[in-house]
Amino acid sequence: MWGGRKLSSCGNRLLGVLGPRSRGARAQAARFTARAEIQFSWTPQTKPWVFSDYRIMWFKSYRMTLACLSRMKIHRYPWTRLYSTSQTTVDSNEIKTFLALAHRWWDEQGVYAPLHSMNDLRVPFIRDNLLKTVAHHQPGKPLSGMKILDVGCGGGLLTEPLGRLGASVIGIDPVDENIKTAQHHKSFDPVLDKRIEYRACSLEEIVQETAETFDAVVASEVVEHVIDLETFIQCCCEVLKPGGSLFITTINKTQLSYALGIVFAEQIAGIVPKGTHTWEKFISPEKLESILESNGLSVQTVTGMLYNPLSGYWHWSENTSLNYAAHAVKSKAQEHPVPAEFVFKGETEELRDKDSTNPGVQEELKK
């Protein structure tokens, strides 16, 4: 800031020393001064005696700049956070992970091979437990007439087998590319095209319109990816009919699950892509059961699942320290208790109607 002033003073002194000696020297000095002023024209001070005025203006400009910056900090851009944690259970970081893999859902030898193989366990698990709630079913279509919600359906790996069993299934997923993959794959089967509907949305977005609609809700390999598990379970309960079933498969939160599920499966063997799971989001069967029961769901079954990476197959196990499956049932609507005074009044009226023809009873009622 002081450079322009020093050069300008230096130019004036140079002109004063030369005086009338040389017009050429004076003109050269003038050009030198002009060049110095042009070169340093960015400095706000051009005359020493008005520097204080410019200093005041500069500070005003600085205050305006700070005010603008403050407003910029307060303003939140929509792309910095896709979802509000108070309104959704969807984790935006998880969306980015699955978005990159959306085109690989139906590659049975690819990263989703364990989920393809898991159908050998989870489809019969869902079917058999649902059949316990019905007296009769159609051969070949045992789930006919049932409405099922598949939450976090991905590319439809579990949605399609449930549809083939005769159920009407709605598959939802917050990743739009996953839904496009699922819709494209089901279009090859006209039967599934009629039984299955896909929506690109979160569970919270359809709670109100689908309250107490579904006979079953399936959340397979989903709860370890949500950002608010208690809200997620609450929403599952709200869309279930009284007596409806909730099916969950997930990963236990143990040291063994960290060693095998993340270190080995992701970082060493590459069975699943790195960053797919976060150990802090894993949940134990005990804590899951506590959340389920607090939302009016009664846990019926919890059983362990083990995956053999060499054979590529799953099998049931009594050990739940890694993967496990849970089945819970929503309690049926309870009848509101009737006050005793109304019960007595009703019994009296019933007695009067029943024995109105009996003269003895009429006399007793008059008393």
Side-chain angles (χ1 to χ4, degrees), residues 279-299:
W279 186 78
E280 286 75 15
K281 289 185 178 180
F282 293 174
I283 183 170
S284 66
E286 294 79 15
K287 185 175 180 180
L288 178 61
E289 183 174 353
S290 174
I291 297 175
L292 292 171
E293 291 182 347
S294 66
N295 284 277
L297 292 158
S298 175
V299 178

Side-chain angles (χ1 to χ4, degrees), residues 81-296:
R81 174 171 288 179
L82 296 176
Y83 301 92
S84 171
T85 56
S86 62
Q87 297 178 356
T88 185
T89 61
V90 178
D91 190 335
S92 58
N93 293 326
E94 300 280 356
I95 288 183
K96 294 176 184 177
T97 301
F98 288 101
L99 181 62
L101 302 170
H103 63 288
R104 305 182 66 179
W105 279 104
W106 289 97
D107 180 6
E108 296 186 13
Q109 306 300 323
V111 295
Y112 290 121
L115 292 183
H116 283 272
S117 178
M118 188 184 288
N119 279 353
D120 295 339
L121 295 188
R122 57 184 179 176
V123 172
F125 181 73
I126 296 169
R127 179 200 62 200
D128 295 345
N129 281 288
L130 285 179
L131 289 181
K132 295 177 182 178
T133 63
V134 295
H136 305 284
H137 58 83
Q138 279 185 302
K141 299 178 182 178
L143 301 184
S144 180
M146 293 190 177
K147 296 188 67 175
I148 299 177
L149 178 65
D150 186 8
V151 185
C153 63
L157 270 60
L158 181 56
T159 317
E160 290 195 6
L162 295 176
R164 290 192 181 93
L165 292 174
S168 298
V169 190
I170 295 179
I172 62 172
D173 197 285
V175 182
D176 187 62
E177 293 300 319
N178 287 347
I179 294 299
K180 290 179 180 178
T181 300
Q183 288 175 334
H184 175 72
H185 194 270
K186 76 152 183 174
S187 65
F188 295 105
D189 190 333
V191 176
L192 291 180
D193 207 26
K194 296 178 181 179
R195 295 178 184 171
I196 295 176
E197 177 188 352
Y198 288 113
R199 299 184 189 181
C201 64
S202 64
L203 177 58
E204 299 80 29
E205 294 177 278
I206 65 167
V207 166
Q208 292 184 352
E209 63 179 280
T210 60
E212 296 190 351
T213 298
F214 299 99
D215 299 286
V217 173
V218 178
S220 183
E221 306 306 298
V222 172
V223 299
E224 66 268 25
H225 298 290
V226 301
I227 201 169
D228 185 349
L229 181 57
E230 293 189 2
T231 301
F232 180 83
I233 297 298
Q234 181 181 355
C235 292
C236 289
C237 185
E238 290 180 8
V239 300
L240 272 176
K241 294 178 180 179
S245 294
L246 173 61
F247 298 95
I248 293 175
T249 67
T250 188
I251 309 174
N252 198 347
K253 190 175 183 179
T254 61
Q255 294 181 350
L256 184 62
S257 68
Y258 177 80
L260 296 181
I262 294 181
V263 177
F264 176 76
E266 295 187 16
Q267 301 176 8
I268 298 176
I271 299 174
V272 293
K274 292 182 179 179
T276 301
H277 296 111
T278 303
W279 186 78
E280 286 75 15
K281 289 185 178 180
F282 293 174
I283 183 170
S284 66
E286 294 79 15
K287 185 175 180 180
L288 178 61
E289 183 174 353
S290 174
I291 297 175
L292 292 171
E293 291 182 347
S294 66
N295 284 277

Side-chain angles (χ1 to χ4, degrees), residues 297-345:
L297 292 158
S298 175
V299 178
Q300 306 295 307
T301 306
V302 176
T303 182
M305 305 167 64
L306 291 178
Y307 178 70
N308 187 338
L310 299 178
S311 64
Y313 290 102
W314 292 83
H315 64 271
W316 295 113
S317 171
E318 295 181 359
N319 188 350
T320 61
S321 59
L322 289 173
N323 296 72
Y324 64 94
H327 171 221
V329 175
K330 180 179 179 179
S331 60
K332 295 183 179 180
Q334 298 179 354
E335 296 182 358
H336 296 288
V338 182
E341 56 179 302
F342 292 104
V343 174
F344 178 76
K345 181 180 179 181

Side-chain angles (χ1 to χ4, degrees), residues 22-44:
S22 172
R23 292 183 178 179
R26 185 180 302 175
Q28 184 177 1
R31 286 195 299 272
F32 173 78
T33 305
R35 283 197 301 270
E37 290 180 354
I38 292 173
Q39 183 177 358
F40 293 89
S41 59
W42 58 269
T43 180

